[in-house]
Amino acid sequence: MTHSHSAVTDVLNFVTEQLPFSELPVSCAHFFVNHTKVVYITTLNQSEVLHSNQKYLYLVRTGVFDLVDNAGEVVTRLGEGDYFGYPSLLTGEDIQNHLEVQTSGLIFLLAQVDFDYLRREYPKFEQHFVRAHKKRLLSSHYKERGRGWSERKIATLMCKKAVTIEPQSSIVEAAKVMQKAGVSSVIITENGQLSGIVTDRDLRNRVLAAELDPKVSVTKVMTHGPKFIFENNRAFAALHLMLKHNIHHLPVLNEAREPLGMVTSTDLLRQQKHDPVQLIGQIYKAHSYQEVVHLAKEIPALLRGFSNTVEDISFIGTLLSGLTDAMTSRLTELYIQQQGEPPCSFCWICFGSQAREEQTLHSDQDNGLIVSNTILPSQRAYFAGLGEFVTEHLVRCGIKACPGNIMASNELCRGTVDEWLARFENWIQTPTPQAMLNSKIFFDRRFIMGDQSLYQTLNTQLNNIQTQDIFFAAMATDTSANSVPIGLFQQFKLQRHKSKHGYLDLKTRGVAIVNDLVRIYALKCGVNKANTQSRLEALKAFSVLSKEDIYNLQDCWRFLTQLRFKIQIEELGLPPNCINPEHLSSLERHQLKEAFYLIKQAQQACVFKFARGSL
């Protein structure tokens, strides 16, 4: 750069204020200034920027520019202090995007050779752009995810606004409203809240076939307290709910529980093609346990094919959990068909990865039963049989038995609400190592089927237990006992396979640590969610973690989970969940080290927060 001294000083002052230069020795900024070119970009010369045969790091000094992909979609808007061009410098891949000028301005250009020099000399410089690239990749994945029908939000699938009537309306009035709006159902609201629904099938079966007077109140034929879904839930969740309960209409509510519209099975079927979601429906309708087992054998091949159609393959965890939910529910129903109605109310619950909806192809079972406090001793044999039947057939379906025997076939995983409550209270009040192990499993729980009021009663009473600081201190200390596999100089600490190849365990030394950390914060804040990403989203409303820490944990979890599914699907011959870092690209290795580094920092922060730094 050959300009006047004042101009150079101005550029130097600007550059030293920008990350990563603001955190690096000033010599780094001097190098940049001495090797940069300055270009004034307008709409007339915008096409001359970003060419694969001339790669640069670009730093915006003035002006506003849009980075646009091949599909014409804006990837990001760039202003003063923003960089672009670094993905192709890091990966060596051709440039895919182009620049569109919104406001003309100055841009600094640093050539590949000079960019590489700064990467070698200043590790923090490299870390900054590796991290920025990772965020760019993740954001593009989210954009692609929106194109998969099952991952779309319900609100985007509704064709019409809510069609509603008051409870005082007659059946005739309901039918006229439906005819005028051209819909197959109507929502009955009371004080703006969902009260019931009436469908065209109800009019046929409950009015015409029953020869009911159509002038009577619509409440006589409506479905009271129908199942519903929130607008921000995914289409997959809606379809799963419909298949599970054999319903075809699902009211859509906002966060204030006000009806926004109705999604129908026709709406969803119109969206989908051939994918594993269809299999869930077949499992719910299976006529025998042999048919359930037979259908389950299709899962691995279907998921491998499905993984090629979605950008965010961590979504497979949600699908696998949905399939296990379906198998569990149907097997339970088949047992009841064989053995008769249960002698008292009960519900089936799941723990661990199934509860978090984060199952993989190698996940094992974690489940249990809650039964009514009124159960008689002689009635417990029925539920012992149920536990044995379902867990045994889940094994036949390919869901491995839990090595720790956390299954409903185990008497310790069955119990009344009061018995479960006593177990949880004991773990909380007496945080022994075994109690910490139990807490990791049982505090991630989810209702599957049966009497949901039992599950809700247990949760309500658990929330009333006074959680002591010593419990969180024990959990934080326990979590810190498991370390990420990087050493002092950010080098991988490899385990050895019998084939002599080194490998990294992404589950135990990565994903599990994130899950454990997030669980501690969620319990501390009373977040009643099991899914790790949902817990992190909920934690944004509290002050126990900064927004940056939450985003970092979300990114780390997604990156490690993506990598974990990838190696499971590709079957690389290593132990489950393990990867040989030599099979990764240079950029992926950098990202993996960065993820482990951030997890290590989060572990240390958790120990300082809850265990006063004692290890």
Side-chain angles (χ1 to χ4, degrees):
M1 181 176 177
T2 56
H3 292 287
S4 68
H5 177 71
S6 62
V8 172
T9 302
D10 177 64
V11 175
L12 183 62
N13 289 339
F14 172 74
V15 172
T16 52
E17 290 176 357
Q18 312 306 318
L19 285 171
F21 297 102
S22 59
E23 296 181 348
L24 290 168
V26 70
S27 56
C28 183
H30 273 291
F31 181 91
F32 180 92
V33 174
N34 291 332
H35 293 80
T36 191
K37 293 195 299 185
V38 187
V39 180
Y40 187 72
I41 306 294
T42 70
T43 53
L44 297 177
N45 64 350
Q46 65 183 13
S47 61
E48 297 172 10
V49 183
L50 287 174
H51 284 288
S52 293
N53 55 354
Q54 288 183 315
K55 295 176 182 174
Y56 293 96
L57 172 70
Y58 299 88
L59 171 59
V60 178
R61 177 68 178 88
T62 60
V64 179
F65 310 91
D66 281 348
L67 199 59
V68 182
D69 65 17
N70 286 335
E73 294 189 18
V74 176
V75 177
T76 184
R77 173 155 288 186
L78 304 159
E80 180 180 313
D82 288 333
Y83 297 94
F84 62 101
Y86 53 86
S88 60
L89 295 179
L90 290 169
T91 64
E93 295 175 354
D94 288 343
I95 293 170
Q96 302 294 327
N97 303 323
H98 65 275
L99 203 68
E100 291 186 359
V101 175
Q102 300 303 314
T103 304
S104 301
L106 288 172
I107 292 180
F108 299 137
L109 286 68
L110 189 70
Q112 170 97 59
V113 62
D114 299 319
F115 179 80
D116 290 341
Y117 171 81
L118 291 178
R119 287 179 65 187
R120 288 194 305 273
E121 295 298 316
Y122 302 97
K124 276 193 173 181
F125 178 89
E126 180 173 58
Q127 286 172 12
H128 175 85
F129 288 103
V130 167
R131 201 177 297 177
H133 182 49
K134 180 179 69 178
K135 289 181 178 176
R136 176 80 63 79
L137 287 174
L138 286 169
S139 67
S140 65
H141 286 169
Y142 300 150
K143 191 173 291 183
E144 290 297 325
R145 280 174 52 181
R147 294 169 186 159
W149 78 268
S150 57
E151 298 173 84
R152 291 177 60 184
K153 289 184 178 179
I154 282 298
T156 67
L157 300 179
M158 290 189 307
C159 298
K160 297 181 178 179
K161 293 182 179 178
V163 178
T164 63
I165 57 173
E166 297 291 321
Q168 297 78 16
S169 306
S170 68
I171 295 172
V172 172
E173 289 169 327
K176 288 180 178 178
V177 168
M178 290 165 61
Q179 183 188 39
K180 185 177 181 181
V183 295
S184 58
S185 62
V186 64
I187 297 173
I188 293 85
T189 58
E190 194 164 3
N191 299 321
Q193 302 287 302
L194 173 67
S195 177
I197 65 169
V198 167
T199 68
D200 51 4
R201 179 177 293 186
D202 294 331
L203 296 180
R204 288 196 304 273
N205 297 339
R206 298 175 184 176
V207 181
L208 294 177
E211 297 184 352
L212 186 68
D213 182 357
K215 294 181 181 177
V216 302
S217 168
V218 73
T219 57
K220 296 287 185 185
V221 295
M222 75 178 190
T223 299
H224 294 265
K227 300 291 180 187
F228 60 86
I229 195 162
F230 290 108
E231 58 177 324
N232 289 324
N233 287 140
R234 294 178 181 182
F236 168 74
L239 184 61
H240 192 181
L241 203 57
M242 288 181 178
L243 292 169
K244 183 175 182 177
H245 297 285
N246 193 29
I247 53 180
H248 303 277
H249 296 77
L250 207 54
V252 182
L253 311 185
N254 62 18
E255 291 298 325
R257 293 180 174 259
E258 298 163 337
L260 295 177
M262 183 80 76
V263 65
T264 68
S265 55
T266 306
D267 295 332
L268 298 181
L269 291 170
R270 196 182 295 131
Q271 302 291 328
Q272 62 178 291
K273 297 177 182 175
H274 299 291
D275 62 39
V277 177
Q278 293 281 19
L279 188 60
I280 293 178
Q282 294 172 24
I283 291 171
Y284 274 122
K285 295 175 182 174
H287 295 94
S288 66
Y289 69 82
Q290 292 94 336
E291 188 178 352
V292 175
V293 173
H294 176 74
L295 290 167
K297 290 180 180 176
E298 298 178 26
I299 293 173
L302 274 173
L303 288 177
R304 288 188 177 91
F306 186 69
S307 69
N308 296 323
T309 67
V310 292
E311 286 292 317
D312 180 6
I313 58 175
S314 64
F315 179 61
I316 290 176
T318 307
L319 276 175
L320 273 170
S321 301
L323 286 159
T324 307
D325 288 0
M327 288 185 279
T328 304
S329 296
R330 191 58 191 141
L331 288 169
T332 301
E333 290 167 351
L334 290 168
Y335 177 84
I336 293 172
Q337 285 179 15
Q338 285 183 5
Q339 303 298 323
E341 290 298 315
C344 67
S345 60
F346 80 99
C347 73
W348 189 284
I349 55 176
C350 63
F351 308 106
S353 61
Q354 186 185 354
R356 295 193 304 272
E357 298 178 89
E358 296 166 8
Q359 278 191 283
T360 71
L361 293 170
H362 297 295
S363 293
D364 53 51
Q365 297 183 45
D366 289 312
N367 48 51
L369 284 167
I370 305 174
V371 296
S372 168
N373 284 332
T374 62
I375 188 172
L376 300 174
S378 60
Q379 295 172 335
R380 290 184 181 257
Y382 179 94
F383 297 103
L386 172 61
E388 288 284 351
F389 179 86
V390 175
T391 56
E392 180 186 325
H393 285 91
L394 283 176
V395 170
R396 295 185 187 181
C397 289
I399 314 296
K400 293 182 291 187
C402 173
N405 204 16
I406 309 297
M407 296 187 294
S409 52
N410 178 359
E411 186 178 4
L412 296 177
C413 293
R414 302 189 302 270
T416 64
V417 173
D418 287 349
E419 287 166 347
W420 275 108
L421 194 62
R423 291 167 192 163
F424 277 98
E425 196 161 9
N426 181 50
W427 299 330
I428 292 171
Q429 306 296 348
T430 314
T432 62
Q434 183 59 45
M436 291 301 96
L437 180 62
N438 290 335
S439 298
K440 288 182 181 180
I441 300 169
F442 292 102
F443 276 100
D444 295 349
R445 61 187 179 277
R446 186 164 56 84
F447 170 82
I448 297 295
M449 73 163 297
D451 185 349
Q452 194 162 7
S453 68
L454 295 174
Y455 180 72
Q456 290 170 336
T457 301
L458 175 64
N459 280 346
T460 302
Q461 295 189 22
L462 278 176
N463 289 337
N464 294 331
I465 296 178
Q466 186 68 38
T467 312
Q468 305 292 331
D469 287 345
I470 190 174
F471 172 70
F472 292 108
M475 287 192 79
T477 304
D478 179 78
T479 299
S480 68
N482 187 14
S483 62
V484 295
I486 53 171
L488 276 178
F489 301 103
Q490 298 289 85
Q491 298 301 310
F492 289 128
K493 294 166 71 174
L494 302 177
Q495 296 171 256
R496 289 289 165 190
H497 186 244
K498 58 185 179 183
S499 64
K500 307 297 183 186
H501 292 303
Y503 65 86
L504 301 166
D505 187 333
L506 299 180
K507 177 188 175 185
T508 307
R509 310 291 294 278
V511 176
I513 298 175
V514 177
N515 289 339
D516 291 346
L517 292 171
V518 175
R519 183 184 307 107
I520 294 172
Y521 288 106
L523 289 175
K524 182 67 178 176
C525 296
V527 172
N528 289 319
K529 296 178 185 293
N531 179 266
T532 300
Q533 290 290 338
S534 298
R535 282 174 167 170
L536 283 167
E537 281 298 319
L539 286 171
K540 290 178 181 175
F542 300 88
S543 58
V544 290
L545 280 171
S546 70
K547 290 282 177 64
E548 183 180 3
D549 290 337
I550 289 175
Y551 291 138
N552 283 339
L553 286 172
Q554 286 180 316
D555 284 351
C556 291
W557 187 93
R558 288 188 187 109
F559 176 71
L560 292 173
T561 302
Q562 290 264 77
L563 211 52
R564 189 177 164 204
F565 272 112
K566 179 183 171 186
I567 58 178
Q568 287 189 0
I569 289 167
E570 292 178 353
E571 296 181 335
L572 298 175
L574 289 170
N577 304 304
C578 294
I579 192 167
N580 181 347
E582 292 181 5
H583 294 160
L584 300 174
S585 68
S586 170
L587 181 61
E588 287 174 324
R589 284 197 293 273
H590 279 296
Q591 290 174 328
L592 189 53
K593 287 179 181 177
E594 181 69 12
F596 285 143
Y597 172 74
L598 291 172
I599 293 170
K600 185 178 179 181
Q601 284 192 318
Q603 267 185 306
Q604 292 170 344
C606 184
V607 170
F608 276 104
K609 185 179 291 291
F610 294 108
R612 305 290 191 269
S614 61
L615 288 172

